[in-house]
Amino acid sequence: MVTSEPTSIWALGGPLLEGPVWVAREKALYFVDIKRHRIYRLDPATGERAEWGAPDQVGFVLPIAGGGFVAGLKTGLSRFDPKDGSFTPILSPEPDLPTNRLNDGTVDNAGRLWFGSMDDGESAITGTIYRYDGKSCTATTPKVSITNGPAVSPDGRTLYHVDTLGQVIHAATLGEDGDLSDPRVFARIAKGEGFPDGPVCDAEGCLWIGLYTGHEVRRYSPKGELLEKVRFPVSAITKIAFGGPDLKTVYATTAAKHLDAAAREKEPLAGDLFTFTVDVPGMVLPEARI
């Protein structure tokens, strides 16, 4: 399955890189550093790199149909224009929860935006997964401390979301109208093996999950069976994205904020952007129709 070992390709040493997404219309990778309030872009074909500052913590940027991006900032959704670096507020889903921030997101096959919130202190049970269709923003899952994902299966019928501190990956049936039903546990991560972070599906419907403090990325079958582990030289892998011309190049974001000085010396590549290759491709993320 994996045809090369993970290697660092962008030495950022970031506290919390997150949200890698392959933007097909640009043939480029976007990702963020939440704690440094940065958005990054990599063009693998040319090697060109770019970055922008965000007005606050930024959990994700996802492409919008017609151009531009939606950014998940600490206080809510904003439209991000990379041409001038501007941010235009769209909505704040949790004005009554100032200690929360937005953390991760995806787009389903109908163009609806799905994103999660979490307690910025990583302890209060105040995070949930939202669905936004351009008109209404709806909370869809029970509250947890740290949400991650969601991810959507290739057929658009299953939505996966993560309770990171609970070490559980959940699944639910996604209806054509965007409603969720039949909530169920998809997989659990045993204590001591790391905390499940960002999920994403490949073209075979298998779910890939980054493990925070687990030193690896895992691939699960649609039935929740562990199929493969990819070991990294750093302990916190936050999420992966499939990119390149055949969607077989994997990009992985990592983190360093959990490391003290002594541990940082042992993980000099922590917080870098990594890549490896696989023989089963990923999928192009739909653009948000919002």
Side-chain angles (χ1 to χ4, degrees), residues 108-112 114 131 133 152 155-158 172-181:
D108 69 17
N109 295 0
R112 292 174 292 238
W114 294 81
R131 179 187 69 240
D133 60 7
V152 178
D155 62 9
R157 296 177 182 174
T158 303
T173 300
L174 176 57
E176 292 184 4
D177 58 0
D179 285 346
L180 299 181
S181 61

Side-chain angles (χ1 to χ4, degrees), residues 30-51:
Y30 281 75
F31 61 100
V32 303
D33 187 330
I34 295 174
K35 297 302 180 182
R36 285 181 177 169
H37 306 182
R38 309 299 293 176
I39 297 171
Y40 297 97
R41 180 185 185 272
L42 173 67
D43 183 332
T46 65
E48 180 184 1
R49 300 174 178 183
E51 64 179 276

Side-chain angles (χ1 to χ4, degrees), residues 108-226:
D108 69 17
N109 295 0
R112 292 174 292 238
L113 175 68
W114 294 81
F115 63 94
S117 64
M118 61 170 280
D119 172 39
D120 199 27
E122 303 182 2
S123 60
I125 310 300
T126 54
T128 191
I129 299 293
Y130 289 92
R131 179 187 69 240
Y132 178 58
D133 60 7
K135 298 178 181 178
S136 61
C137 186
T138 305
T140 64
T141 62
K143 290 186 180 297
V144 299
S145 178
I146 301 176
T147 64
N148 263 291
V152 178
S153 61
D155 62 9
R157 296 177 182 174
T158 303
L159 183 131
Y160 302 95
H161 60 97
V162 177
D163 173 0
T164 295
L165 293 187
Q167 297 181 278
V168 180
I169 306 166
H170 295 276
T173 300
L174 176 57
E176 292 184 4
D177 58 0
D179 285 346
L180 299 181
S181 61
D182 187 25
R184 54 201 182 269
V185 171
F186 174 75
R188 296 183 185 272
I189 307 299
K191 289 185 178 181
E193 294 185 352
F195 296 90
D197 209 312
V200 66
C201 287
D202 64 25
E204 290 184 347
C206 293
L207 187 77
W208 292 74
I209 192 89
L211 289 185
Y212 201 95
T213 72
H215 290 271
E216 63 190 28
V217 170
R218 292 183 175 183
R219 183 180 188 240
Y220 290 86
S221 77
K223 295 181 179 180
E225 305 159 323
L226 178 58

Side-chain angles (χ1 to χ4, degrees), residues 56-57 73-76 92-102 117-121 124 126:
D56 207 330
Q57 295 184 78
L73 301 180
K74 180 181 184 298
T75 55
S92 177
E94 298 176 336
D96 58 331
L97 294 173
T99 60
N100 265 18
R101 67 170 173 84
L102 302 190
S117 64
M118 61 170 280
D119 172 39
D120 199 27
T126 54

